[in-house]
Amino acid sequence: MQVKLKKTYKFAIRTSLYITIFITLLMSVFLYYFFEPKWQLILGFTICCYIFSFIVIQYRVERFIYKRVKKIYDDLTLLESTNLSRGPINTDMATLTQEIDKFARDKKLEIETLKVREQYRKEFLGNVSHELKTPLFTIQGYILTLLDGAMNDKNIREKYLQRASEAVERLSYIVSDLDMITKLEVGDLRLNIESFDIVDLAKNVFGMMEMRAAKKKITLTFDIDYHNPIMVTADKERIQQVLANLIINSIKYGREKGTTEISIENLIKNKVIVRVTDNGEGIEKKHLSRLFERFYRVDKSGSRKEGGSGLGLSIVKHIIEAHDEKIYVESEYGVGSEFSFTLEKAK
């Protein structure tokens, strides 16, 4: 197997050879003219000269390259200077090139990620501004109208106060939901983990949504009759909120006389998966990757008419992830959607 020498060694070997040959020839000529040449002495001198030259050149080249490579490492923050002082730095140019290429790729990826985050931040701030501005302007408009004299008319006064109250309620939802998401993200919202029957909880949510579903003649149902309880371990109140938000979304975007169905299946030994399926309008593929973002709306105009804070699916995702579980979405435009999430079975 051929041994690969460092380029600095090759440089030192060749340079030492040139110096040794030159000095040896010079010494041989000098001895030839002024003294009697002794070949043993010349041979010994040649060997000593070569070894000395190699050591000095190799050391100086290594130190020369080391200082410059160290500066590059420090400037690029590839290595800490304390790590360099513990041992000799690798002065191989190929290795250095690879590390710089890797550094450049990582930085490029980091910059692209920051650009995406910056775009998301701009969109988020714009959405927050719009969502808060709409109910605030509504409230302001009704109050100013009343102050301009409309309060003297009892019917108009009651109607405008009722609408202003609804706008305040929506504003309250937005602030409350934002507060909840923030707490979930930083881990301040503690989960009250307990064992409960997920079938019974789903029935309760159906009961809460019955009137809302009746307005669009949507049927809320299970895929089969669940005669036996299915016990899971989670925060009951938060999982109820998850189911409520998913069913509200299903009703909001559902078709007249449509169906919203819940199914609960064993996934693996200690997991169940809860599915909420509808035959509504469905979601286009281009929206699926951003569906759980704050304030992201598939239908920019129609969904606002339906009300809500625009944070429902984002809250759902955060609650499920706070349980260390997964949430999935599958949808076909014009056919319907299915949201599903996992839960741990009660032991």
Side-chain angles (χ1 to χ4, degrees), residues 236-270:
K236 185 175 181 180
E237 183 180 345
R238 299 304 172 196
I239 298 303
Q240 178 175 298
Q241 190 174 7
V242 167
L243 287 173
N245 280 340
L246 291 178
I247 292 171
I248 287 171
N249 240 40
S250 174
I251 295 170
K252 186 188 296 184
Y253 298 103
R255 294 176 178 173
E256 291 277 346
K257 299 180 182 179
T259 303
T260 294
E261 179 184 275
I262 288 183
S263 63
I264 305 160
E265 303 172 18
N266 288 320
L267 189 62
I268 52 178
K269 185 177 179 181
N270 64 329

Side-chain angles (χ1 to χ4, degrees), residues 24-39 42:
T24 301
L25 287 173
L26 191 65
M27 178 182 170
S28 299
V29 170
F30 178 80
L31 291 174
Y32 178 79
Y33 282 104
F34 297 99
F35 302 97
E36 183 181 351
K38 294 183 179 180
W39 300 112
I42 294 174

Side-chain angles (χ1 to χ4, degrees), residues 24-165:
T24 301
L25 287 173
L26 191 65
M27 178 182 170
S28 299
V29 170
F30 178 80
L31 291 174
Y32 178 79
Y33 282 104
F34 297 99
F35 302 97
E36 183 181 351
K38 294 183 179 180
W39 300 112
Q40 294 88 349
L41 180 63
I42 294 174
L43 180 62
F45 174 80
T46 301
I47 294 172
C48 292
C49 181
Y50 181 82
I51 293 173
F52 177 77
S53 299
F54 175 82
I55 292 173
V56 171
I57 292 170
Q58 172 64 23
Y59 175 77
R60 293 305 303 165
V61 169
E62 284 283 347
R63 293 303 302 171
F64 178 81
I65 296 175
Y66 176 89
K67 289 178 181 179
R68 280 149 184 77
V69 170
K70 182 179 182 299
K71 186 176 186 307
I72 295 173
Y73 272 57
D74 290 343
D75 289 344
L76 297 180
T77 65
L78 287 171
L79 293 174
E80 297 292 337
S81 58
T82 53
N83 293 336
L84 297 176
S85 63
R86 292 175 186 170
I89 187 171
N90 189 342
T91 55
D92 183 61
M93 292 297 106
T95 303
L96 179 61
T97 303
Q98 290 175 1
E99 291 182 347
I100 291 175
D101 287 342
K102 181 179 180 299
F103 175 84
R105 288 195 302 270
D106 291 343
K107 284 299 176 184
K108 184 179 178 182
L109 180 61
E110 184 179 336
I111 290 169
E112 289 174 353
T113 303
L114 288 173
K115 285 181 179 178
V116 171
R117 288 181 179 176
E118 176 64 14
Q119 182 62 31
Y120 172 76
R121 184 188 67 83
K122 289 179 180 178
E123 290 182 9
F124 173 68
L125 290 176
N127 286 329
V128 170
S129 175
H130 182 86
E131 295 293 340
L132 294 177
K133 182 171 61 179
T134 302
L136 282 172
F137 281 1
T138 301
I139 296 165
Q140 185 183 42
Y142 287 133
I143 291 176
L144 288 175
T145 304
L146 290 172
L147 290 174
D148 285 341
M151 70 173 67
N152 297 324
D153 187 321
K154 182 180 178 181
N155 293 330
I156 294 178
R157 182 173 68 237
E158 289 181 357
K159 182 172 69 174
Y160 280 17
L161 286 174
Q162 179 61 36
R163 290 179 180 177
S165 176

Side-chain angles (χ1 to χ4, degrees), residues 183-320:
K183 286 181 178 179
L184 283 166
E185 286 180 343
V186 300
D188 285 347
L189 191 64
R190 294 188 179 182
L191 300 176
N192 181 26
I193 303 299
E194 59 180 308
S195 297
F196 60 91
D197 180 8
I198 188 64
V199 176
D200 186 56
L201 184 67
K203 288 178 180 177
N204 290 339
V205 175
F206 274 166
M208 288 162 35
M209 300 298 156
E210 194 173 3
M211 294 297 294
R212 190 189 291 256
K215 291 180 181 178
K216 294 183 72 170
K217 299 179 181 178
I218 291 176
T219 303
L220 305 178
T221 184
F222 287 95
D223 61 326
I224 59 172
D225 291 329
Y226 291 93
H227 299 292
N228 299 320
I230 300 176
M231 304 301 292
V232 296
T233 302
D235 186 318
K236 185 175 181 180
E237 183 180 345
R238 299 304 172 196
I239 298 303
Q240 178 175 298
Q241 190 174 7
V242 167
L243 287 173
N245 280 340
L246 291 178
I247 292 171
I248 287 171
N249 240 40
S250 174
I251 295 170
K252 186 188 296 184
Y253 298 103
R255 294 176 178 173
E256 291 277 346
K257 299 180 182 179
T259 303
T260 294
E261 179 184 275
I262 288 183
S263 63
I264 305 160
E265 303 172 18
N266 288 320
L267 189 62
I268 52 178
K269 185 177 179 181
N270 64 329
K271 298 282 185 181
V272 297
I273 186 165
V274 182
R275 306 181 193 272
V276 179
T277 311
D278 65 64
N279 57 357
E281 61 187 58
I283 306 165
E284 294 180 76
K285 286 186 178 179
K286 64 181 181 181
H287 297 297
L288 291 178
S289 62
R290 301 190 61 189
L291 206 56
F292 295 101
E293 289 181 14
R294 301 178 186 181
F295 296 116
Y296 186 78
R297 296 179 187 269
V298 174
D299 181 1
K300 302 295 183 182
S301 57
S303 57
R304 283 196 172 92
K305 294 177 183 177
E306 296 285 349
S309 67
L311 295 165
L313 288 180
S314 183
I315 288 173
V316 164
K317 179 176 180 289
H318 280 85
I319 290 175
I320 295 302

